[in-house]
Amino acid sequence: MAPLIRPVQTSSDLPKQTTVVILGGGIIGLTAGLTLAERGIPVTILEKGRIGAEQSSRNLGWVRKLNRHPEDVALAVTSDQLWTQMPQRTGFDAGYRRAGIMYAARTEAEMEPHRKWLQAVSDLSLDSRLVTPREIDDLMPGTAQKWAGGIYTPSDGYAEPTLASSAIATAAQQKGAVIIENCTAFSLSLAGGRVAGVHTERGEIKCDQVLLAAGLWSRRFLGNMGISLPTLPMVASVIRTAPMDGPSDIAFGASDFSFRKRLDGGYTVTQRGALCHPLTIDNLLIGLKYLPTLRDNWKYLRLSLGREFLGDLGLPRRWKDTGPSPFERVRTKDPLVDAGLIAEAIANTVKAFPVFEKAEIRETWAGMIDVTPDSLPVISGLDRVPGLTLATGFSGHGFGTSPAAGQLAADLVSNATPIVDPAPYRFSRLSK
């Protein structure tokens, strides 16, 4: 199953021209589009399927600074501020709540990374702090686990993925953006080596700038242009419970489970300690770039070789400006739920918080994440294609940082002062 997204009425007519075309109607592309529309810049967002239907609605909804890469903290802090403004910007409640996020450790060995991270960000004025076993018991009543300690950021929180993209899309349209669903972009139209338009399944749209925010599809789109973007897929399996009384509104994670309260009164639960990694041809092409990450994180990966490998093998990597392309064949990526990980998530959560033994599972789904070798996104222009900007490769962190990430992408596209330093997200770092 896939989460039910609040529907949005979009346009059916492709304009002949605009200033900016955004490829991808996920939350990053939509936020960038909203920002451009607010600045009076004509923008058209093209989505091959339905807006927010892939990872933008399938993620856990966490909005956190906790355990971010130090270079990514500025983006997360700025996003916090922008999330608080989202109801005023959009006119909708996307479920953003600053309820706090906590990670707990069962052993001293598990506590050590939290201490190291806190030391690494000690000069960034965060409210993150270590918590004692007693504090965990007080903040998370009903736990049956003896914790060694944990780390807690009171100003972190969460929002609702099934509401946020729809709210942002509606507001963007009200402010002048054009959003077209079920419209595949085949390729870029170039003039003198720079962007001049986009070839789509509904014809060509002329433009001055293109923002590629296509998530896991960005690698294949750029590959058709002879540009290698190193990203590999990961799949997370997720549970939605019926409304229930739970331990706290604080989003909570341990080494092998996590949960957070939902706006509907239920909980979103997952096996935090494992992701499924479907092997594809790309593992042979770019796998060496991931060796340092693999050494540190191999125990979190469940490798699979099957449906995803065959499906990926059957999708073309080269196509003409007139199509057909792989994007019409897979309008929405809907990976299989890993029943084993779902069972582990439930068992691990119940063992630590017995109240979840009464939880009624209403829905399960899976979402595919595009991961870069250093787990930082690319928000950057491409020197070899003037007029093309990327906002992709968010490695499972895109929802939480989307307000600032989308605005940063809009800043780069419109040559405005960047909301945060874009240097950590430059494309060139991945070619080393």
Side-chain angles (χ1 to χ4, degrees):
M1 296 179 65
L4 185 62
I5 306 168
R6 188 177 67 80
V8 176
Q9 183 64 47
T10 57
S11 177
S12 57
D13 298 323
L14 182 73
K16 292 184 180 298
Q17 64 181 46
T18 188
T19 301
V20 180
V21 172
I22 297 175
L23 306 183
I27 195 166
I28 302 295
L30 293 170
T31 305
L34 172 61
T35 303
L36 292 169
E38 289 171 335
R39 295 173 180 175
I41 299 173
V43 56
T44 296
I45 301 171
L46 304 181
E47 167 54 48
K48 64 180 174 54
R50 303 299 302 274
I51 60 165
E54 294 185 313
Q55 194 56 18
S56 292
S57 62
R58 297 167 186 247
N59 64 84
L60 304 180
W62 293 38
V63 178
R64 64 177 175 85
K65 301 173 290 295
L66 186 59
N67 277 15
R68 290 279 186 201
H69 190 291
E71 289 188 320
D72 205 31
V73 168
L75 196 72
V77 169
T78 306
S79 287
D80 273 8
Q81 299 163 359
L82 294 175
W83 271 113
T84 64
Q85 301 168 16
M86 203 61 76
Q88 289 72 39
R89 286 180 76 185
T90 67
F92 294 93
D93 180 7
Y96 175 65
R97 302 291 185 268
R98 252 185 194 172
I101 291 179
M102 180 187 298
Y103 291 144
R106 294 185 177 92
T107 66
E108 283 300 316
E110 288 183 357
M111 279 296 296
E112 192 56 28
H114 298 319
R115 295 189 182 99
K116 288 182 178 179
W117 178 81
L118 204 57
Q119 179 62 36
V121 298
S122 61
D123 61 341
L124 299 180
S125 301
L126 301 180
D127 62 336
S128 304
R129 60 184 176 87
L130 297 179
V131 288
T132 66
R134 175 68 178 272
E135 288 176 297
I136 296 174
D137 290 342
D138 291 343
L139 291 167
M140 304 298 300
T143 181
Q145 177 72 52
K146 291 185 177 181
W147 303 103
I151 190 168
Y152 175 45
T153 306
S155 64
D156 280 348
Y158 43 80
E160 292 300 333
T162 55
L163 301 178
S165 291
S166 299
I168 294 165
T170 300
Q173 290 185 121
Q174 290 172 346
K175 297 177 183 183
V178 177
I179 301 176
I180 304 175
E181 297 178 305
N182 295 307
C183 183
T184 291
F186 294 141
S187 63
L188 303 185
S189 172
L190 303 178
R194 68 166 294 115
V195 167
V198 179
H199 298 287
T200 84
E201 62 181 310
R202 301 190 191 184
E204 184 178 355
I205 176 172
K206 298 290 187 181
C207 64
D208 301 321
Q209 300 279 337
V210 168
L211 173 63
L212 179 61
L216 65 95
W217 299 103
S218 298
R219 172 171 167 76
R220 200 168 292 261
F221 186 90
L222 290 171
N224 190 48
M225 300 172 62
I227 299 170
S228 177
L229 170 69
T231 58
L232 288 176
M234 302 290 175
V235 179
S237 294
V238 185
I239 301 160
R240 176 176 71 87
T241 77
M244 59 175 284
D245 292 329
S248 172
D249 288 343
I250 296 172
F252 186 88
S255 61
D256 54 10
F257 73 92
S258 73
F259 59 78
R260 62 99 177 164
K261 190 79 170 179
R262 298 172 56 89
L263 195 62
D264 61 13
Y267 281 82
T268 297
V269 183
T270 192
Q271 212 291 37
R272 180 172 173 258
L275 290 171
C276 177
H277 175 42
L279 297 172
T280 67
I281 294 298
D282 283 338
N283 288 89
L284 298 176
L285 298 175
I286 58 174
L288 289 177
K289 289 181 175 287
Y290 290 79
L291 286 181
T293 300
L294 183 62
R295 282 195 297 267
D296 295 335
N297 299 284
W298 63 269
K299 62 183 178 181
Y300 301 119
L301 299 181
R302 307 287 176 87
L303 303 182
S304 69
L305 180 63
R307 190 183 82 158
E308 291 295 345
F309 180 86
L310 295 175
D312 180 79
L313 196 62
L315 291 177
R317 291 177 179 264
R318 293 288 187 273
W319 56 91
K320 299 179 180 178
D321 290 343
T322 54
S325 77
F327 312 124
E328 306 96 271
R329 292 172 59 177
V330 186
R331 297 280 180 181
T332 300
K333 191 68 173 179
D334 193 20
L336 291 174
V337 171
D338 188 316
L341 289 181
I342 293 292
E344 290 177 24
I346 296 169
N348 298 339
T349 305
V350 168
K351 185 176 180 180
F353 290 90
V355 67
F356 282 94
E357 192 169 9
K358 302 175 183 178
E360 175 191 345
I361 298 177
R362 286 282 177 85
E363 190 177 21
T364 62
W365 67 81
M368 187 167 283
I369 303 163
D370 53 323
V371 178
T372 63
D374 59 9
S375 294
L376 288 174
V378 176
I379 311 174
S380 170
L382 264 68
D383 292 338
R384 63 180 285 186
V385 187
L388 175 61
T389 302
L390 308 185
T392 193
F394 281 85
S395 305
H397 308 150
F399 181 82
T401 59
S402 60
Q407 184 162 328
L408 176 59
D411 292 340
L412 298 179
V413 165
S414 60
N415 200 29
T417 301
I419 191 171
V420 299
D421 182 5
Y425 311 113
R426 63 195 183 282
F427 175 74
S428 59
R429 78 182 196 275
L430 297 178
S431 61
K432 295 178 180 178

